[in-house]
Amino acid sequence: MEQTTGGPGRRIGRRSLIIGGAAAAGIGTAGVLARDELASLWWRVPGVEKSRVEGAVDYRGARWVAASSANWRRADRPDDYSIDMVIIHVTQGSFDSAVQVFQDPGHGAASHYIVRDDGHVTQMIRELDVAFHAGNRAYNERSVGIEHAGFVDRPQDFTDAMYAASARLTAGICRRYEIPVDREHIIGHVEVPGTDHTDPGPHWDWERYMRLVRRASTAPTSTPTPTPS
């Protein structure tokens, strides 16, 4: 669940600078707004967020299934928060159970995407928005979270199709936000400061995964073929 402490990855968006500058001019040079106030000031002005289409996905091969609005926070990334990280998770359960809990308002957490063992990708939260997936507020604000259906102690759950589909998904996210394809910016949930999670676990093949992400990053972009839902 999202924590309340601030941290790295936060920046003032273009809209914040414009609106914040005008507000500061109105109150005189002695009235200096705090960084957090500037970063969120645009949110109180109607009509400034990006247009949205219901059911739209950020990854063209994905199927949209909405998570409960209690498990994420509406935002306008990367204008209000820069995105510089992808965080890899394992559900510790089946694909269907992960979808179910992310739709449960009492769960308090959800990731942007879930990848199934056959390579099917479901998107449950827009990349624009802050998903409560990392257990660290600053990391939530700066990252996109990808769940993988399965268990950390079952290497057979991490199939060829899952690795390939997830790598294409991560490569696309890195292209969109100019994220370096390296292990400083593509990390496991276990690497998030303050987390008590161990996923993706010792059986997740990072060397193989990063090789696939790099390969997908340099391949010509094309529309992925969705797997049956």
Side-chain angles (χ1 to χ4, degrees):
M1 185 179 294
E2 186 177 53
Q3 296 177 353
T4 57
T5 55
R10 191 78 176 264
R11 71 174 176 87
I12 303 176
R14 292 187 294 276
R15 293 191 178 98
S16 304
L17 287 171
I18 294 169
I19 298 168
I27 63 176
T29 56
V32 179
L33 295 179
R35 179 183 176 89
D36 281 355
E37 292 173 327
L38 279 173
S40 60
L41 185 58
W42 67 271
W43 189 248
R44 298 196 291 270
V45 179
V48 298
E49 67 176 32
K50 293 183 181 71
S51 60
R52 297 169 184 242
V53 176
E54 185 176 356
V57 295
D58 297 296
Y59 180 69
R60 288 177 295 173
R63 170 176 170 255
W64 174 257
V65 178
S68 168
S69 60
N71 297 330
W72 55 274
R73 188 173 83 239
R74 195 173 179 91
D76 196 14
R77 302 191 307 170
D79 283 346
D80 50 353
Y81 304 103
S82 59
I83 300 174
D84 65 357
M85 189 168 289
V86 176
I87 299 179
I88 302 300
H89 303 260
V90 172
T91 61
Q92 285 298 92
S94 69
F95 172 84
D96 289 341
S97 66
V99 171
Q100 184 177 1
V101 297
F102 289 173
Q103 291 179 313
D104 178 4
H107 184 61
S111 286
H112 294 90
Y113 294 97
I114 308 175
V115 183
R116 204 165 58 191
D117 60 356
D118 62 357
H120 170 81
V121 177
T122 288
Q123 183 169 4
M124 301 193 69
I125 299 168
R126 289 295 306 275
E127 292 174 13
L128 287 166
D129 298 319
V130 176
F132 303 160
H133 66 100
N136 177 311
R137 177 170 180 166
Y139 276 68
N140 285 341
E141 290 170 348
R142 66 188 291 194
S143 67
V144 174
I146 304 176
E147 289 278 1
H148 298 80
F151 295 85
V152 297
D153 58 350
R154 287 169 48 94
Q156 65 269 31
D157 290 347
F158 307 141
T159 64
D160 293 346
M162 174 183 283
Y163 274 120
S166 178
R168 289 192 297 269
L169 173 59
T170 292
I173 294 166
C174 290
R175 276 195 298 266
R176 275 192 288 285
Y177 305 108
E178 299 181 347
I179 301 172
V181 179
D182 58 39
R183 286 284 283 115
E184 291 183 10
H185 297 86
I186 302 171
I187 68 170
H189 194 183
V190 65
E191 298 170 85
V192 175
T195 186
D196 60 355
H197 288 252
T198 62
D199 55 313
H203 299 297
W204 182 260
D205 190 338
W206 277 110
E207 184 177 349
R208 176 187 184 187
Y209 186 67
M210 294 303 297
R211 184 171 63 249
L212 290 170
V213 175
R214 285 191 290 269
R215 185 182 303 164
S217 297
T218 58
T221 57
S222 60
T223 303
T225 301
T227 56
S229 60

